[in-house]
Amino acid sequence: MTNWRAVFIGFVIATIIGIFGIAFPGLGQLTAGLVGGFAAGYLARGGLASGFWHGLLAGALGGIIGGLILGVAVGIAGLAIGPVGGAISGVVGAGIATVAAVVALIMALESAIAGAVGGAVHD
């Protein structure tokens, strides 16, 4: 059974650290995923498998929401420029969607590994 409270707390922790981690590109986001996944796995209290699952969900949620926010920002910026900007943002948006999916996958996997460690530490 999924402990959504643990997933949400892990997601919030990863989001907060990720916001401050912007000052340290790459390392900040990596740290955010690891700490958020660890927290989700630790709070889920179920061992390796449960920690893995909850960390995976927390990381994936963060990656998906981050990608959506980025996509909306690009769309709004394109519309602000006008019809040509809308066409450009449509083309760029496909690339951003691909990058966002890859980032979500990486964030989910690193959070899942950290969640497994957190679940193992708690037991």
Side-chain angles (χ1 to χ4, degrees):
M1 178 103 177
T2 301
N3 182 344
W4 288 106
R5 180 178 172 270
V7 171
F8 181 72
I9 290 172
F11 161 71
V12 169
I13 289 171
T15 301
I16 291 170
I17 294 174
I19 289 170
F20 290 110
I22 291 173
F24 305 100
L27 182 62
Q29 281 64 41
L30 177 67
T31 303
L34 291 173
V35 174
F38 181 86
Y42 185 82
L43 292 172
R45 301 181 183 172
L48 285 172
S50 178
F52 183 88
W53 174 247
H54 288 86
L56 180 75
L57 289 176
L61 184 63
I64 290 168
I65 290 176
L68 287 174
I69 291 171
L70 183 61
V72 168
V74 168
I76 290 172
L79 289 175
I81 295 171
V84 174
I88 292 171
S89 69
V91 172
V92 171
I96 289 174
T98 302
V99 169
V102 170
V103 168
L105 179 66
I106 292 169
M107 198 168 172
L109 289 175
E110 71 167 337
S111 293
I113 293 168
V117 172
V121 166
H122 191 273
D123 279 345

